[in-house]
Amino acid sequence: MQNIKLTIDKAFGFVSKESVAGYKNTASAANKALHEGTGKGNDFLGWLNLPTSIDEAHLADVENTAKILRENCEVVVVIGIGGSYLGAKAVIDALSNSFDWLQTDRKAPVVVYAGQNIGEDYLFELQELLKNKKFGIISISKSGTTTEPALAFRLLKTQLEQQQGKEAAKQLIVAVTDKARGALRTLAVQEGYKTYVIEDNIGGRYSVLSPVGLLPVAVAGFDIRQLVQGAVSMEKLCGVETPFEDNPAAQYAAVRNELYKSGKKIEILVNYHPKLHFVSEWWKQLYGESEGKDNLGIFPAAVDFTSDLHSMGQWIQEGERTIFETVISVNEPNNKVLVPGDDANLDGLNFLAGKRVDEVNKMAELGTLLAHIDGGVPNLKIELPKLNEFYLGQLLYFFEKACGISGYILGVNPFDQPGVEAYKKNMFALLEKPGFEEATKAIKARL
Ligand code: PA5
């Protein structure tokens, strides 16, 4: 197996090679602080050695639970929000057929999501979809008290019990939550659901390689062993023993901090394969929640190319010069499509006849890279040899490790998210939740 590859030289017209090399000591110290547990948020480092700590018994247990859901369900609803669903959706979408839900000869249940919004139409339509279907639920909430997933779980649990009977429903529900605390844990114990623990020291956005991600990915029919193996190899490559120059996580952390210092306040993650859209959503949460605090932090945004070259492309090429891009490039697609010749050639595309569609995509990628550099947009590139479980596992761990190092270089705690509480407090006050009486009075006075 190869490794995913980071290339940063197209940033060097904008920041100097020497200035990035100058991060050697800071980045290595940040990496060391992670491993020695001496930095900020050091009670949330359970993700650091997670890949190498996953044992055979755990994988077999997750696979067995997935098998039960796969054999008994047409649809499995993954309930969760933020870090409790984005990682699973990122991996499942990246590995699935783009038209997955229309496949008739399915070998795995359709995986759908709930609890990641409070849209009433979304929930109504989901309930309609599940009517008379054999469905199961994986309810994921570390705190076990988050409103969005709790609300969705209440609705879907009720529906499942009505459709299957209370006892049968219990066999089709899996809870992934804290080992002792929270309403979901209480309910799971009371009802006797199969459960998995999210360890105290693993925050939501760093939990994709825990059962939070592994169980849904296994249900969808993908190889969680390869995913973990990929992450294991990246854990080793990004370790403290690897010199700064060869450590992709340290290099990425260094160059993005230097770009940020030079005025590049926005990073866009770019893909050229639409099935990577949710990898970007996962990445946005990872970097946004980890670094966006203390009035600091690169704003993480994402685009799907070439689609967005026909919309955001204008801004990226000629808008305010505060942006740099990180491109996820897949070297070899899993399938081959050749452009056919056409006698009439009315569309003028015969110059492409016999070429792979991917060659067109790659030239779009190269042409865009050159245009963006000319337009003042530094470019970083992460190459994946192929889109499969192993390289996705590498990519996920690489981003996690780089995020920890990058946050420490920036000087923030990359493992907390105090800002997320502000909207919740207001929402509970507005909904007159018991215990929020004072806040309710205060907020109503503002309306
Ligand atoms: O990264 C995080 O910690 C958050 O995005 C959480 O994952 C999200 O808020 C959901 O929390 P919980 O799993 O407690 O329901």
Side-chain angles (χ1 to χ4, degrees), residues 316-330:
I316 296 164
Q317 190 68 43
E318 295 183 342
E320 196 183 2
R321 301 297 71 194
T322 47
I323 193 164
F324 69 98
E325 66 185 4
T326 299
V327 174
I328 300 181
S329 184
V330 179

Side-chain angles (χ1 to χ4, degrees), residues 371-393:
H372 284 177
I373 288 174
D374 291 344
V377 181
N379 175 283
L380 313 177
K381 181 165 155 180
I382 301 161
E383 280 169 79
L384 270 62
K386 275 184 98 63
L387 207 42
N388 63 21
E389 288 91 334
F390 184 85
Y391 295 122
L392 277 173

